Every structure is written in structure tokens, then in C-alpha cells.
Amino acid sequence: MEFELGCVSSGGAQCVELADKHAADFAVTADRFDRDNAFPTDNWAALQRSGFLAATVPVDLGGLGLRSIHDLVVAISRLARGDGSTAIGAAMHLTAFWYLARLRTSPSWPVAAPPARHLDLMLRACARRRAIACVAISERGTPLGNPATTAEPAGSGYRISGRKAFCTNSPAATLFLSTVRLGADEVGFAVVPRTTPGLRVLENWDALGVRASGSGDVVFDGCQVAQEMVVPAGPVGALPPAILPLTMVGALVLASAFLGMSEQAQDLLTQALSRPRSVRPAARALVGENEIDIATSRAVLARTAVLLDERLGAGTPDLPAVELAGLMREVQCANMAAKRAAITTVDRCLTASGGGGYLSSNPMSRLYRDVRAGPFMQPFSALDAFEYIGSVRLGLDRDPGRPNGERELP
């Protein structure tokens, strides 16, 4: 019997059922899209038709009403068993609409947000299969809390200019959620529709792994947006507290995709070793080590998701900096643990498979490359996460959005 992660809510159960069905379908074409370095438009159309992409939209607006972060983790891990590239994009989309839904239903959150009518319009558009979100916050050469992309007052709104990188699922996206600089000292959060003049999605994604994720650059060339679609979030230099719920949940749900990839690799290996009694002892040991790493990843992701559900899921008053830092530390521990375990697990699977797993025709070779995308994904990458975790534990930095830089506690 396989003791995989299960759901705790009815909305989660529906979402996971859909994820399992889609994973079975997407697994058939995943190698082809990887080989062709092509974006799987059909996958995204299928996710829209089934209602999977509207999972985190409230029921009264036409979605599944999924609020549980734990169940989001489960759903994305299942989807990733079929196609990791599609799963990481779906993780970002679902997290974005989870965040928009929480802004609508949790007025106790001290967060500047677009007016309720705009939130409803975006959520309804998602439920009606007209909206896909792309979280566009990464830029080359600058940390997340110090964006070079600007939002300057212009007429009755703002003019946005800049360039974002690693914009996963941008080929399918209709809404771009982006960090921007407001003046010299403030970071803001902008929602930019794809139809905005001056917005360009570049087809320049060509990477070692997750090749079908559509993670190319997005250019904002003087994009004019309404004033309500740009909100101040906090000072330059750190991820603002206003968007920390989005970044915490996003990091954890994204990490679950790498759990799903490692689970798929383990399944492929055990299928290949179809005559257990004839399997060499060394291969059996590798399978056993993988079981330990997969069980550990499941446990740490589930435990951290429950923690976030308790603190963030139903809407909370303003959390003190020390608690936000502690939550982000827990997220980063789970993030790094799951991603490192995924790399090690798939590496063992490739070793135990012999030469067969190394062939391009074997999905194992794709998974071997795909899981290596995990450690550099924000927030935070491995370059920042370990230093951040250590700093918080030592009491040197209580700013939950600042991956480095030490500030001793008073």
C-alpha cells in the first residue's frame, strides 16, 4: 500500500481528482514537448476546460473554493507526476488566485489591494476560463525586493516599464502579477493585462530542464494601467509584508512539484524492476533510500502547509515581524529539504535503472534534468535560503522578506 499525501477538504479532493486525470494525459506528451522545447498549449486548455485552474476561486464566483494550502500542495505534487513543466506553472497560477481570493474574503489582512470589484472581475474571469496568471517578479541582476521595473504616475494611472525574467507559463498568461518600483524608496505590486499596449512576451526560453514551462522574459514597454491596479507594498530592499503570504504559499506549493517529480521517478524505477526477486541488492537499497527521502519530503511539506493554513489560510490580523520571519524560515526549510531530496532521489533512480534511464527516450532522463531547476527558483534560491534560515535562527535578521543582510535583535 502506498501512503501518499491525501486531502483535508472537499475542494481539495475535487482538485486532486482532476490533477490525477490530467497527469495521466500529460505524461503521454511530456517527453515530446521537452524534446521540442515547446510550450504545451493543449495542456493549459485542458486545465481550463476541467476547472482545475479555477480551483482556488471562491464557489460563489464559479470556482472550486479551495482554500487549503495543504491540499494545494497535494494537488500540484500529483499533477507533477505527469508533467513537471506544466505543474510548476499551474502552481504559480493557483497560488496567485488563492492570494486574490484571500484579499477579497479576508479584510483583516492589512494589505493594500485592488478594489473588490476588480478582484471579483479577475476571479470570475478565471472561473469562466478567461484568465491565467503569470507571477512576474524575477529580474536579472537584482534581488526580488529591489526591482528595476518602474511604475511612474501617468495621467489617471501608472506607466510601467521594465523587463522580467523566468516568467513561467507566460505564453498562456492573460494577467501578469509583477513587482514594481514606486519612486526611489517604495516597492509596489501591479496587475497588468496581457492586452495592454507595450507588453511583450518573448519566446526566449531554452534551458536544461523544465523546457516546456514557457519561462521566458516579459517586457513592459510603457504599459499604461489604471491607478487601482498598482498598489504600494513596502520599502525597497526586502519582499514587502503585503505580498509575503503570496511568496510563502507560492514557494511551498512550488516545492511540492519537485516532490511529484521524484515520486514519478520512483514509480518508473519500480516498474522497470518488474521482477523484484531478481533485483540486485544494491538496487533494492537505492529504492529503500528513495522511500525514506520521499516520506520525509511528504512529511515536511504537509507539516509546513498545515502551519501556513493555521496562520494564513483563513485570514489573520497583522503578524509581528518575528512570527513572519519564523514562518518564512519554516517554508524555506521545507522548500530546500524537498528540492534537495528530489534531486537525490531522481539521481538514485537513474543509477538503479542502469543505462536505460540515461536514454533520451526514457522519461527518467527528463526528470533528471527537470528536478535540477528547483534550487534556483525564487523565493528563495539556494544562494539565499540557507543564509536566511541560519540568520533567523541566530536572531540576526527578523525581516521575513530579506534573504541576506544581518540586523541584530534589540
Side-chain angles (χ1 to χ4, degrees):
M1 179 179 290
E2 179 71 16
F3 293 98
E4 60 190 6
L5 292 179
C7 296
V8 298
S9 69
S10 59
Q14 294 178 66
C15 188
V16 168
E17 182 180 356
L18 291 172
D20 285 336
K21 292 178 180 177
H22 286 305
D25 292 338
F26 298 168
V28 176
T29 57
D31 288 335
R32 173 167 59 85
F33 286 121
D34 171 80
R35 184 170 53 253
D36 296 344
N37 195 36
F39 184 75
T41 303
D42 291 346
N43 288 7
W44 285 86
L47 292 171
Q48 277 194 310
R49 284 194 305 271
S50 72
F52 182 86
L53 293 184
T56 51
V57 175
V59 172
D60 64 305
L61 296 181
L64 298 182
L66 175 55
R67 299 174 63 93
S68 167
I69 299 163
H70 176 278
D71 288 357
L72 267 179
V73 164
V74 178
I76 292 300
S77 71
R78 299 288 187 87
L79 187 64
R81 295 177 186 179
D83 184 351
S85 289
T86 299
I88 64 171
M92 297 176 191
H93 164 90
L94 288 175
T95 302
F97 278 98
W98 175 92
Y99 180 67
L100 296 176
R102 297 293 73 74
L103 292 178
R104 173 183 181 263
T105 59
S106 302
S108 60
W109 273 9
V111 178
R117 68 181 185 279
H118 287 287
L119 292 173
D120 282 0
L121 283 172
M122 288 186 281
L123 289 162
R124 281 199 179 96
C126 181
R128 293 172 181 172
R129 306 169 187 169
R130 297 175 183 170
I132 294 176
C134 170
V135 179
I137 61 174
S138 294
E139 298 183 22
R140 291 180 175 85
T142 185
L144 294 181
N146 191 25
T149 299
T150 60
E152 299 179 347
S156 59
Y158 288 89
R159 182 177 295 114
I160 298 176
S161 300
R163 181 168 178 155
K164 298 292 185 177
F166 297 102
C167 301
T168 299
N169 71 281
S170 54
T174 62
L175 292 173
F176 294 85
L177 283 66
S178 177
T179 49
V180 294
R181 182 183 289 266
L182 296 169
D185 303 319
E186 191 168 27
V187 174
F189 199 58
V191 179
V192 187
R194 189 188 188 100
T195 54
T196 305
L199 190 154
R200 289 184 290 128
V201 176
L202 304 186
E203 296 182 3
N204 63 339
W205 179 245
D206 188 2
L208 174 70
V210 290
R211 290 170 57 78
S213 63
S215 299
D217 292 5
V218 172
V219 176
F220 303 109
D221 187 5
C223 295
Q224 184 77 23
V225 298
Q227 183 177 4
E228 309 87 67
M229 303 309 285
V230 178
V231 296
V236 166
L239 285 175
I243 62 171
L244 275 173
L246 171 63
T247 54
M248 287 184 190
V249 176
L252 191 70
V253 175
L254 182 60
S256 72
F258 294 89
L259 167 63
M261 294 179 210
S262 67
E263 290 173 326
Q264 184 194 12
Q266 180 79 330
D267 287 344
L268 290 170
L269 176 61
T270 54
Q271 291 167 22
L273 304 177
S274 57
R275 297 169 58 190
R277 292 185 182 278
S278 63
V279 175
R280 295 169 62 181
R284 297 182 201 175
L286 292 174
V287 171
E289 288 188 79
N290 284 349
E291 287 296 293
I292 294 170
D293 276 347
I294 289 172
T296 302
S297 294
R298 288 171 176 170
V300 71
L301 288 171
R303 178 257 182 188
T304 308
V306 169
L307 188 63
L308 290 185
D309 274 326
E310 292 172 351
R311 300 297 196 278
L312 303 176
T316 60
D318 193 9
L319 295 174
V322 64
E323 187 166 351
L324 282 173
L327 280 175
M328 179 59 97
R329 181 193 65 197
E330 294 300 314
V331 168
Q332 292 308 317
C333 287
N335 178 38
M336 288 295 108
K339 290 175 178 177
R340 291 203 299 180
I343 291 173
T344 304
T345 297
V346 179
D347 184 74
R348 291 194 200 102
C349 287
L350 190 67
T351 299
S353 71
Y358 191 72
L359 300 176
S360 295
S361 58
N362 191 314
M364 195 82 74
S365 65
R366 168 174 52 84
L367 291 165
Y368 184 81
R369 290 180 285 106
D370 284 354
V371 291
R372 276 155 176 73
F376 72 77
M377 287 189 168
Q378 298 280 8
F380 296 127
S381 73
L383 293 175
D384 296 322
F386 296 109
E387 181 182 355
Y388 177 83
I389 293 165
S391 294
V392 173
R393 185 66 181 88
L394 294 170
L396 295 173
D397 193 343
R398 293 293 185 180
D399 188 335
R402 191 184 304 273
N404 47 38
E406 298 177 354
R407 296 187 297 115
E408 192 168 348
L409 288 175

